[in-house]
């Protein structure tokens, strides 16, 4: 909106500078614009012209109006604002002459839209013109009405249009019929007024009238069930006759398109027949013959003919056709598919997608051809074909199809690899009855297109790996081999590093050899070397880096001989600029150096991941369309979605997920900001999860020491099972109820001693980190709900939730309550905030607020305060709604936000 | 497409008016606002827009049958023009974009693009484009880019006779041109 103002200001200055430019003609202006070398020059010319036009408008020069409108249209087309000329359009429309009206209406349609108030003013002029004696002027008004009519105008002017549909002039008739489409679309209640009219129009001879009438019928069918039934009963004969006439008629010069009479009419009739025949056997039977005739007799060597055939096939697929007719249709598609013209192949693929529901077997016959289309040079065709292949896959053909697709990954277009990979992954997952096959395919995809494999796919793979002990050895060896040759694929590196860390000894000892495997010789130092290489290569990627560090730490315990080397590698990262890596490095060094006694138990293999709960989790995650690459932070909203809005002790699967997101695969970069405090608590085993999931309920005391000492009570306070595996230290813990778990953990920390001596040990680890604990306490403070707005009619309350880890972000849950006795409809809530705040509104739960406070509408607002702590939240709000059809507007300012938001 | 309508100006006014009253220390130089999505039927129409674009990507004619703000239009034109112009002659004439399809055809230096619903018969739209070009040819005699620029309003009149509210209304060149010829005779 700034630009608008700026332009307005510039206009003012330009008017003063160049008084003569009003004299340029349209041609001169276009030449001047075309001569512009840069966008800035063009803007300057347009500004000058606009200024001149505004002067002309203000000086009310009627002789320039026509020309000015033409110029404005050109300026509008270039994408500049032209709203200042709206009133000019109205003046032109009100003029008596046809040319003025013509330009005026055109301007109206281009420069205005139905949402502008100016439209209200034009209704009267439209009404006069609709009643004009000159058919051309009536035509203009109808055309304008058909393009811009709003619901109110539709109600006001519907009688005029109905009358004009009955007019004797064909031009008026056809335009009135099309105008009715807009009216019915805006006010579906009016549909029944037009049913009879539409049916009677089908008896006309003029093609323009017919095509308009048919489209009106189509619209009526969509608008009302009654109309559909009425048309089925009364029009089917007429339509079949029209189609027969037009397809049998000999040469008609005016409507001829490469030897075919009016393909457009053909197509519209076929479209309507499809709608009428859908789910209606009688209608379908009635049109069988004519469809067969069109399908067999239409020439297919020209585009026009193919367009008709295409529509005919669609009709056959849509209606309750006989099997003979269906065979005919599928054969046409087969012919299309083998056509050399890409357009024809594209529509064939498009059509086969629909045909698959009707006759899957027939489509399967074309599988090879479709698979070829996946490899086509044309992106549109590839995309269609790939979607079709996905639908074609079943248990019997999944293996050869996947092989083809994966082979194609090698040579596919870089732009296409992303789509292709997603598709292959979902096929492989969907048909993964054989674990080994699934693993093999996934490894291949990771090797060839690892950079395109989404994080959730990797997570799923790791869950499967963790659950199939018999293939873990095979997997880690395959991944190790793949890592040697495809080290550039990000996801492959992550999965491989995780596996090497977990199953390192299987790699070295060739545990669990499969028959088909060739033994490979990998030394302990090779394994460490592979991870080290990955770490050096992916030092920029925090997640991969962190995973490498964890893997190295685990390897140091698996292979004692490499311990010293690992220590050096880990120590190199002590000064890493990324906090996450630096912290891990310092902690891990400490583990290697000072805690030899607990190291081996600390670094045991991860427990088997619960597949079922992961799948459930993932399904909900996809439902809420939370992007998978932010998996770690999504844990919080996930838990908040529990029915009562508060995290419950059901977070065991959450914990599983959490561990995945950091050990199994990428903890997102966002996670790194949240980890510091989690970490602490992880190490101590006091339910790091609970602090993030119970964000709403106040967490247990933030005093780490106290937690440590009163270990037995703190988990029960949190009421959450302590199963955060984020840190390898907890690798051996299992998702069992909280209290025993915590104790168990400490038991394993120092097996021979009593819990008390543990404290100093752990305090080492906490050095320099304790400052974080206070933060974690602050973040989780809850804020009281406020009444953001209250008037005699409406009350709005805000509830607040903070995102742990990001204090700037607040989720506001707004509840709207109607205090009056009449229902509010079309309720819309709008909010504006100052620039340092970002606001995102979720869709409201509804747009009707019931009367007397019987229920309410809720809406979520996400607010990010970029100056949190310095400036308070502020918000201006506006509510618009309708009471008994009357518009109401209320606005207010919310300044009583709790401090600290 | 009426999903997110922005009433930028009115809302910014709203913010400003209140700011003056409240004398608060808030920066009113910019306002971030967003309006909740409105539930409503996605208007089904066959043709959503007709665009002429030259080889350099400059718009030469634009007619929309659904309301888009200037910014949305610019973004859309930029995106689809980039997509279509990058394609070769051998590739098919259909490009999927957002939730609709663009059917395009190239005549010399001009691209004719028509945005349609996914349900629309693409081949028929190709015929429609051709019919439009033939109609212009009949009127201008071997139509070129300059004809369209200098007679923009006439091209719009033709389009108006052919398409109303996104529906094809007339396919006979003679009928399409009749009112235009009439107007030329009288003036």
């Amino acid at each position: 909106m700034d630009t608008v103002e700026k332009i307005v200001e510039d206009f003012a200055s330009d008017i003063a500078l160049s008084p003569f430019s009003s004299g340029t003609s349209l041609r001169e202006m276009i030449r001047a614009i075309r001569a512009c070398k840069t966008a800035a020059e063009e803007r300057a010319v347009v500004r000058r012209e606009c200024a001149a036009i505004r002067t002309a408008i203000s000086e009310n020069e009627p002789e320039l109006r026509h020309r000015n409108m033409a110029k404005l249209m050109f300026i509008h087309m270039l994408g500049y604002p032209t709203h200042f000329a709206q009133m000019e359009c109205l003046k032109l429309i009100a003029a008596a002459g046809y040319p003025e009206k013509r330009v005026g209406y055109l301007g109206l349609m281009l420069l205005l839209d139905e949402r502008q108030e100016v439209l209200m003013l034009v209704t009267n002029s439209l009404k006069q013109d609709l009643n004009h004696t000159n058919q051309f002027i009536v035509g203009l008004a109808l055309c304008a009405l058909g393009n811009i009519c709003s619901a109110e105008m539709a109600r006001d002017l519907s009688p005029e249009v109905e009358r004009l549909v009955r007019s004797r002039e064909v031009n008026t008739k056809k335009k009135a019929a099309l105008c009715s489409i807009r009216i019915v679309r805006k006010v579906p209640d009016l549909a029944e007024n037009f049913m009879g009219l539409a049916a009677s129009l089908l008896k006309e001879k003029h093609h323009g009238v017919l095509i308009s009438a048919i489209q009106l019928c189509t619209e009526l069918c969509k608008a009302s069930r009654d109309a559909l039934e009425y048309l089925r009963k009364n029009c089917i004969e007429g339509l079949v006759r029209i189609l027969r006439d037009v397809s049998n008629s000999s040469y008609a010069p005016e409507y001829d398109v490469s030897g075919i009479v009016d393909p457009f009419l053909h197509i519209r009739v076929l479209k309507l027949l499809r709608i009428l025949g859908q789910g209606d056997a009688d209608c379908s039977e009635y049109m069988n013959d004519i469809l067969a005739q069109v399908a067999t007799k239409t020439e297919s060597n020209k585009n026009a003919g193919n367009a008709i055939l295409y529509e005919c096939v669609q009709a056959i697929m849509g209606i309750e056709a006989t099997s003979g007719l269906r065979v005919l249709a599928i054969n046409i598609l087969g012919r299309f598919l083998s056509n050399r013209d890409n357009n024809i192949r594209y529509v064939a693929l498009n059509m086969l997608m629909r045909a698959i529901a009707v006759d899957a077997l027939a489509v399967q016959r074309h599988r090879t051809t479709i698979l070829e289309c996946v490899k086509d040079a044309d992106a549109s065709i590839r995309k269609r074909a790939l979607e079709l292949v996905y639908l074609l896959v079943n248990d019997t053909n999944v293996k050869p199809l996947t092989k083809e697709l994966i082979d194609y990954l090698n040579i596919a277009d870089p732009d296409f690899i992303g789509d292709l990979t997603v598709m292959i992954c979902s096929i492989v997952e969907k048909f993964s009855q054989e674990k080994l096959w699934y693993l093999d395919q996934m490894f291949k995809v990771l090797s060839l297109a690892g950079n395109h494999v989404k994080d959730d796919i990797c997570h799923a793979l790791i869950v499967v790996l963790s659950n199939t002990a018999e293939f873990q050895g095979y997997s880690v060896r395959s991944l190790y081999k793949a890592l040697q040759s495809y080290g550039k694929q990000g996801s492959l590196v992550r999965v491989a590093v995780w596996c090497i860390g977990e199953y390192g000894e299987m790699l070295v000892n060739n545990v669990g050899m499969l028959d088909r495997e060739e033994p490979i010789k990998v030394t302990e130092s090779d394994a460490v070397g592979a991870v080290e290489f990955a770490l050096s290569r992916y030092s920029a990627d925090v997640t991969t880096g962190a995973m490498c560090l964890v893997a190295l730490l685990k390897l140091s315990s698996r292979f004692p001989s490499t311990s010293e080397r690992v220590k050096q590698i880990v120590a190199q990262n002590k000064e890493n600029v990324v906090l996450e890596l630096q912290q891990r490095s310092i902690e891990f060094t400490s583990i290697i150096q000072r805690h030899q006694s607990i190291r081996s138990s600390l670094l045991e293999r991860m427990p088997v991941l619960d597949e079922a709960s992961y799948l459930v989790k993932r399904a909900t995650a996809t439902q809420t369309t939370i992007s998978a690459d932010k998996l770690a932070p999504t844990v919080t909203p996930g838990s908040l979605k529990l029915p009562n809005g508060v995290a419950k002790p059901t977070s065991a699967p959450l914990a599983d997920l959490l561990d995945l997101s950091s050990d199994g695969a990428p903890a997102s970069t966002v996670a790194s900001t949240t980890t510091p405090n989690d970490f602490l608590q992880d190490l101590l085993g006091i339910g790091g999860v609970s602090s993030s999931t119970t964000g709403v309920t106040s967490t247990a005391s933030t005093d780490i020491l106290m937690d440590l000492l009163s270990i037995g009570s703190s988990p029960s306070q949190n009421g959450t099972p302590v199963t955060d595996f984020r840190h390898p230290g907890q690798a051996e813990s299992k998702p069992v109820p909280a209290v025993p778990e915590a104790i168990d953990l400490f038991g394993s920390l120092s097996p021979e001693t009593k819990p008390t001596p543990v404290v100093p040990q752990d305090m080492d680890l906490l050095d320099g980190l304790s400052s974080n604990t206070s933060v974690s306490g602050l973040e989780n403070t809850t804020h009281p709900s406020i009444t953001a707005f209250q008037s005699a009619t409406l009350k709005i309350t805000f509830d607040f939730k903070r995102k742990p880890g990001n204090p700037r972000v607040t989720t506001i849950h707004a509840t709207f309550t109607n205090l009056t006795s009449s229902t509010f409809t079309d309720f819309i809530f709008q909010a504006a905030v100052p620039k340092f705040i970002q606001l995102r509104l979720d869709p409201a739960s509804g747009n009707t607020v019931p009367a007397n406070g019987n229920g309410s509408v809720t809406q979520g607002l996400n607010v990010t305060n970029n100056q949190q702590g310095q400036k308070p939240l502020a918000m201006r709000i506006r509510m618009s709604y309708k009471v008994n059809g009357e518009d109401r507007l209320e606005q207010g300012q919310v300044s009583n936000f709790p401090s600290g938001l | 497409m009426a999903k997110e309508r922005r009433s930028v100006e009115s809302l910014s006014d709203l913010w400003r008016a209140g700011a003056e009253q409240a004398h608060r220390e808030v920066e009113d130089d910019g306002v971030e606002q967003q309006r909740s999505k409105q539930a409503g039927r996605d208007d089904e129409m066959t043709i959503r827009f007709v665009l002429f674009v030259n080889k350099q990507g400059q718009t030469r004619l634009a007619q929309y049958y659904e309301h888009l703000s200037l910014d949305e239009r610019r973004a859309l034109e930029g995106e689809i023009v980039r997509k279509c112009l990058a394609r070769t002659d051998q590739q098919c004439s259909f490009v999927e974009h957002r939730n609709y399809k663009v059917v395009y055809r190239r005549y010399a230096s001009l691209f004719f693009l028509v945005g349609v619903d996914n349900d629309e018969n693409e081949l028929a739209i190709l015929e429609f484009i051709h019919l439009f070009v033939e109609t212009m040819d009949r009127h201008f005699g071997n139509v070129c880019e300059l004809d369209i620029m200098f007679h923009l309003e006439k091209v719009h009149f033709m389009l108006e006779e052919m398409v109303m509210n996104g529906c094809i209304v007339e396919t006979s060149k003679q009928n399409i041109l009749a009112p235009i010829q009439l107007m030329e005779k009288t003036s």
Side-chain angles (χ1 to χ4, degrees):
Chain A
M1 80 235 119
D2 279 345
T3 53
V4 174
E5 275 164 14
K6 205 163 156 285
I7 289 168
V8 172
E9 278 167 26
D10 290 343
F11 286 152
S13 59
D14 275 336
I15 292 167
L17 286 175
S18 56
F20 11 77
S21 62
S22 71
T24 54
S25 71
L26 176 67
R27 267 167 192 265
E28 283 163 27
M29 182 189 86
I30 295 173
R31 278 204 196 95
I33 289 175
R34 271 164 59 87
C36 293
K37 296 272 185 315
T38 64
E41 278 179 43
E42 185 184 287
R43 273 199 296 279
V45 172
V46 169
R47 210 183 295 148
R48 214 160 44 234
E49 287 295 338
C50 282
I53 294 169
R54 290 169 80 91
T55 332
I57 290 173
S58 60
E59 286 165 9
N60 206 3
E61 296 174 58
E63 65 278 8
L64 287 180
R65 249 181 217 154
H66 190 280
R67 183 215 273 172
N68 283 343
M69 279 310 299
K71 282 186 186 175
L72 278 170
M73 269 174 239
F74 195 87
I75 292 170
H76 178 79
M77 181 195 75
L78 295 174
Y80 293 93
T82 46
H83 53 274
F84 56 83
Q86 286 165 358
M87 294 310 289
E88 239 7 45
C89 294
L90 296 189
K91 284 184 198 156
L92 279 169
I93 290 170
Y98 177 76
E100 284 82 14
K101 274 186 190 292
R102 174 113 239 194
V103 172
Y105 275 120
L106 181 56
L108 182 78
M109 283 180 274
L110 285 177
L111 311 184
L112 292 189
D113 65 88
E114 58 179 284
R115 287 175 252 314
Q116 311 218 9
E117 286 79 5
V118 187
L119 269 194
M120 291 302 295
L121 302 173
V122 88
T123 311
N124 208 25
S125 304
L126 273 173
K127 196 165 195 162
Q128 276 174 9
D129 287 345
L130 287 176
N131 291 318
H132 206 279
T133 46
N134 183 328
Q135 61 146 322
F136 288 101
I137 289 179
V138 175
L140 281 181
L142 279 172
C143 186
L145 189 64
N147 278 340
I148 59 167
C149 153
S150 65
E152 286 116 76
M153 288 166 89
R155 284 206 189 82
D156 288 349
L157 299 176
S158 169
E160 266 78 15
V161 176
E162 280 172 48
R163 182 176 58 74
L164 289 170
V165 175
R166 295 194 192 89
S167 139
R168 283 215 311 271
E169 279 298 333
V170 285
N171 281 323
T172 311
K173 233 182 195 127
K174 72 178 184 201
K175 286 185 176 170
L178 259 190
C179 195
S180 318
I181 295 182
R182 177 91 177 190
I183 290 175
V184 172
R185 202 175 280 170
K186 289 290 163 193
V187 190
D189 303 347
L190 292 173
E192 57 187 71
N193 296 5
F194 290 96
M195 283 184 332
L197 279 176
S200 67
L201 284 178
L202 294 178
K203 298 187 183 76
E204 295 281 332
K205 287 273 173 284
H206 186 270
H207 283 214
V209 177
L210 282 178
I211 202 167
S212 306
I214 290 165
Q215 288 177 101
L216 175 58
C217 290
T218 314
E219 187 60 35
L220 287 170
C221 290
K222 288 181 194 162
S224 124
R225 188 88 219 153
D226 292 345
L228 177 62
E229 289 305 325
Y230 176 85
L231 292 173
R232 270 186 183 148
K233 227 175 275 154
N234 297 294
C235 295
I236 187 79
E237 278 175 56
L239 287 168
V240 169
R241 196 197 44 175
I242 293 172
L243 187 55
R244 186 174 299 129
D245 287 353
V246 74
S247 71
N248 288 341
S249 69
S250 49
Y251 183 68
E254 253 319 293
Y255 293 99
D256 182 75
V257 176
S258 51
I260 291 167
V261 176
D262 206 347
F264 301 100
L265 185 59
H266 270 98
I267 286 162
R268 294 295 145 190
V269 181
L270 285 165
K271 256 193 196 333
L272 183 54
L273 287 178
R274 168 161 54 122
I275 295 174
L276 294 180
Q278 209 156 26
D280 188 311
D282 291 344
C283 270
S284 301
E285 200 195 321
Y286 201 88
M287 60 185 84
N288 256 338
D289 286 350
I290 185 67
L291 289 180
Q293 188 200 325
V294 173
T296 43
K297 281 198 175 167
T298 311
E299 293 278 340
S300 66
N301 50 3
K302 288 274 167 46
N303 182 53
N306 282 327
I308 295 174
L309 282 175
Y310 175 40
E311 199 59 52
C312 187
V313 170
Q314 294 216 46
I316 295 172
M317 291 297 171
I319 67 166
E320 315 296 311
T322 60
S323 59
L325 208 51
R326 290 229 164 108
V327 171
L328 201 59
I330 297 273
N331 285 344
I332 293 175
L333 288 182
R335 241 170 37 224
F336 273 22
L337 203 56
S338 52
N339 200 305
R340 276 171 55 212
D341 185 343
N342 275 338
N343 288 344
I344 307 290
R345 281 201 296 158
Y346 176 89
V347 295
L349 290 167
N350 212 359
M351 204 48 241
L352 283 170
M353 298 233 325
R354 270 178 240 184
I356 208 165
V358 180
D359 191 350
L361 264 179
V363 183
Q364 289 284 4
R365 274 206 300 275
H366 300 293
R367 203 172 58 218
T368 5
T369 324
I370 296 166
L371 212 52
E372 282 310 305
C373 291
V374 174
K375 302 168 189 175
D376 200 274
D378 186 334
S380 295
I381 290 187
R382 278 198 309 247
K383 193 161 171 253
R384 277 270 148 258
L386 189 60
E387 281 168 26
L388 190 53
V389 166
Y390 184 70
L391 294 176
L392 278 177
V393 175
N394 58 27
D395 286 327
T396 50
N397 62 21
V398 59
K399 287 189 178 173
L401 271 177
T402 316
K403 184 174 180 307
E404 282 276 347
L405 292 178
I406 290 181
D407 287 348
Y408 181 57
L409 265 183
N410 281 312
I411 45 166
D413 200 45
D415 300 335
F416 188 54
I417 286 185
D419 285 344
L420 187 58
T421 310
V422 171
M423 210 52 110
I424 295 175
C425 288
S426 59
I427 290 175
V428 170
E429 285 199 328
K430 199 165 142 197
F431 295 94
S432 62
Q433 286 96 344
E434 288 173 47
K435 283 275 160 63
L436 189 59
W437 179 80
Y438 164 77
L439 292 174
D440 274 335
Q441 307 312 312
M442 285 309 298
F443 296 157
K444 277 188 210 160
V445 175
L446 281 174
S447 308
L448 293 171
N451 289 330
H452 301 275
V453 178
K454 299 275 185 302
D455 289 349
D456 60 333
I457 307 270
C458 296
H459 296 170
L461 172 61
I462 283 177
V463 172
V464 172
L465 265 176
S466 148
N467 279 289
T468 43
E470 67 272 31
F471 298 130
Q472 280 165 355
Y474 169 70
S475 301
V476 67
R477 285 186 294 276
S478 307
L479 284 166
Y480 178 82
K481 271 184 272 182
L483 193 59
Q484 307 301 315
S485 18
Y486 304 100
K488 282 183 189 151
Q489 306 287 353
S491 299
L492 174 74
V493 173
R494 289 179 181 182
V495 177
V497 162
W498 186 87
C499 282
I500 293 173
E502 288 297 317
Y503 313 119
E505 70 278 16
M506 295 185 178
L507 172 64
V508 177
N509 305 332
N510 280 334
V511 175
M513 284 288 280
L514 299 186
D515 293 343
R516 61 176 180 176
E517 249 184 296
E518 278 179 34
I520 52 165
K521 211 167 166 345
V522 183
T523 64
E524 297 179 351
S525 100
D526 287 344
V528 174
V531 181
E532 183 187 6
F533 182 68
L535 179 62
S536 63
R537 184 175 218 164
Y538 286 89
S539 50
D541 179 355
V542 186
T543 313
T544 313
M547 289 173 67
C548 288
L549 286 176
V550 175
L552 283 170
L553 185 68
K554 291 205 167 192
L555 286 179
S556 83
S557 143
R558 309 247 196 293
F559 311 140
S561 64
T562 63
S563 186
E564 196 54 32
R565 184 171 163 205
V566 168
K567 197 174 102 189
Q568 280 171 10
I569 302 169
V570 172
Q572 281 164 11
N573 283 291
K574 268 185 172 173
E575 282 164 18
N576 198 312
V577 284
V578 183
L579 180 67
E580 171 73 26
L581 297 184
Q582 187 188 76
Q583 190 177 346
R584 279 187 193 233
S585 170
I586 291 171
E587 287 168 355
F588 293 175
T589 312
S590 172
I591 292 173
I592 297 172
Q593 277 177 344
R594 298 194 222 172
H595 305 286
Q596 294 292 346
S597 55
I598 58 161
R599 190 175 66 177
S600 59
S601 46
L602 198 61
L603 300 176
E604 264 184 24
R605 200 173 288 166
M606 294 261 299
V608 172
L609 303 163
D610 185 358
E611 206 164 1
S613 61
Y614 173 69
L615 289 177
V616 170
K617 187 67 211 161
R618 190 177 172 201
T620 41
T622 28
Q623 259 171 19
T624 50
T625 61
I626 293 165
S627 67
D629 52 348
K630 287 183 183 161
L631 206 57
T634 59
V635 168
T636 317
S639 71
L640 295 178
K641 270 185 212 87
L642 293 170
N644 57 7
V646 180
K648 293 202 300 186
T650 49
S651 29
L654 285 181
D656 281 350
L657 198 71
L658 257 185
D659 90 60
L660 259 181
S661 61
S662 117
D663 274 336
S668 74
T669 44
V670 193
S672 64
T673 60
T674 60
T675 27
N677 41 45
D678 285 351
F679 236 50
L680 267 182
Q681 285 153 323
D682 292 355
L683 268 174
L684 297 167
I686 335 169
V689 193
S690 64
S691 74
S692 55
T693 53
T694 54
V696 195
T697 60
S698 62
T699 38
S701 72
T702 52
D703 186 341
I704 293 290
L705 257 182
M706 216 177 82
D707 280 354
L708 254 181
L709 297 171
S710 58
I711 205 81
S713 63
S714 72
S716 53
Q717 259 180 323
N718 289 341
T720 314
V722 186
T723 43
D724 186 3
F725 307 141
R726 187 180 283 277
H727 196 276
Q730 276 78 7
E732 79 280 20
S733 57
K734 293 173 192 69
V736 287
V739 182
E741 175 65 27
I743 293 169
D744 180 36
L745 188 75
F746 271 76
S748 68
L749 277 173
S750 55
E752 301 104 342
T753 48
K754 279 177 275 176
T756 347
V758 174
V759 180
Q761 266 190 355
D762 272 318
M763 288 314 283
D764 285 345
L765 291 179
L766 297 172
D767 276 349
L769 298 171
S770 50
S771 60
N772 288 321
T773 51
S774 56
V775 177
S776 79
L778 263 181
E779 273 170 14
N780 294 316
T781 30
T782 51
H783 293 279
S785 303
I786 59 164
T787 302
F789 178 83
Q790 177 143 26
S791 67
T793 48
L794 184 67
K795 182 182 170 184
I796 303 176
T797 54
F798 282 180
D799 298 311
F800 302 95
K801 279 169 197 163
R802 296 287 284 278
K803 221 180 207 164
N806 194 350
R808 289 175 171 184
V809 180
T810 312
T811 308
I812 302 178
H813 189 73
T815 312
F816 311 102
T817 318
N818 179 353
L819 305 174
T820 65
S821 55
S822 31
T823 309
F824 298 168
T825 55
D826 297 336
F827 183 87
I828 294 166
F829 170 76
Q830 290 165 286
V833 290
K835 208 175 187 178
F836 63 89
I837 297 175
Q838 279 164 4
L839 172 68
R840 186 165 57 77
L841 289 179
D842 294 335
S845 63
N847 60 359
T848 307
V849 192
N852 300 325
N854 293 329
S856 51
V857 170
T858 60
Q859 189 164 20
L861 293 84
N862 279 298
V863 180
T864 310
N865 184 352
N866 289 325
Q867 300 192 21
Q868 194 250 348
Q870 299 162 38
K871 288 195 179 173
L873 276 190
M875 190 181 288
R876 195 144 294 134
I877 54 176
R878 177 155 83 179
M879 288 67 63
S880 59
Y881 52 88
K882 283 186 180 157
V883 180
N884 302 328
E886 234 176 281
D887 285 320
R888 297 281 174 85
L889 193 70
E890 292 194 59
Q891 40 187 281
Q893 173 156 340
V894 190
S895 43
N896 55 340
F897 283 102
S899 58
L901 284 180
Chain B
M1 277 289 286
K3 276 179 192 151
E4 257 185 37
R5 298 172 196 155
R6 294 195 148 194
S7 53
V8 180
E9 281 156 281
S10 55
L11 257 186
S12 70
D13 292 344
L14 167 74
W15 175 254
R16 284 210 190 94
E20 282 157 20
Q21 287 167 11
H23 300 296
R24 291 185 124 259
E25 263 191 46
V26 278
E27 300 158 9
D28 67 341
D29 55 347
V31 173
E32 294 282 324
Q33 59 80 40
Q34 213 169 358
R35 192 161 163 173
S36 57
K37 287 182 180 176
Q38 281 190 331
R41 182 159 80 116
D42 203 358
D43 272 347
E44 284 171 39
M45 46 176 67
T46 52
I47 297 176
R48 283 159 181 264
F49 57 79
V50 177
L51 277 180
F52 294 2
V53 178
N54 69 7
K55 255 197 315 205
Q56 289 78 41
Q58 293 160 313
T59 311
R60 287 296 169 240
L61 176 127
Q63 169 75 57
Y64 290 83
Y65 295 98
E66 60 187 345
H67 178 66
L68 293 177
S69 75
L70 273 181
D71 288 341
E72 288 169 325
R73 283 182 32 185
R74 270 191 189 167
L76 179 136
E77 283 171 27
E79 283 167 31
I80 57 175
V81 165
R82 217 174 306 124
K83 266 193 187 172
C84 293
L85 263 57
R87 293 170 66 83
T88 63
D89 291 344
Q90 285 81 46
Q91 293 180 317
C92 69
S93 312
F94 319 122
V95 178
E96 285 165 45
H97 184 74
R98 298 196 199 166
N99 55 342
Y100 51 83
K101 274 181 201 154
V102 178
V103 179
Y104 71 95
R105 201 160 173 166
R106 185 180 162 172
Y107 288 84
S109 68
L110 264 191
F111 284 82
F112 294 74
L113 304 99
V114 180
V116 293
D117 277 338
N118 275 320
D119 193 33
E120 187 51 51
N121 186 323
E122 298 90 348
L123 299 176
I125 296 297
L126 278 181
E127 276 312 319
F128 164 77
I129 295 176
H130 191 66
L131 175 70
F132 193 5
V133 175
E134 280 185 342
T135 311
M136 287 191 291
D137 256 349
R138 187 183 279 195
H139 184 78
F140 295 112
N142 218 351
V143 66
C144 71
E145 192 181 331
L146 282 182
D147 288 325
I148 295 173
M149 288 182 80
F150 290 134
H151 303 281
L152 188 63
E153 80 281 8
K154 275 184 202 154
V155 179
H156 268 294
F157 295 154
M158 287 176 210
L159 188 56
E160 223 171 70
E161 292 294 327
M162 292 176 78
V163 182
M164 254 176 79
N165 191 24
C167 303
I168 294 174
V169 56
E170 181 59 70
T171 54
S172 144
K173 284 170 235 144
Q174 193 180 324
N175 291 351
I176 295 167
L177 292 173
I180 294 157
Q181 282 156 353
L182 185 87
M183 199 164 77
E184 286 192 341
K185 232 181 274 168
T186 51
S187 61

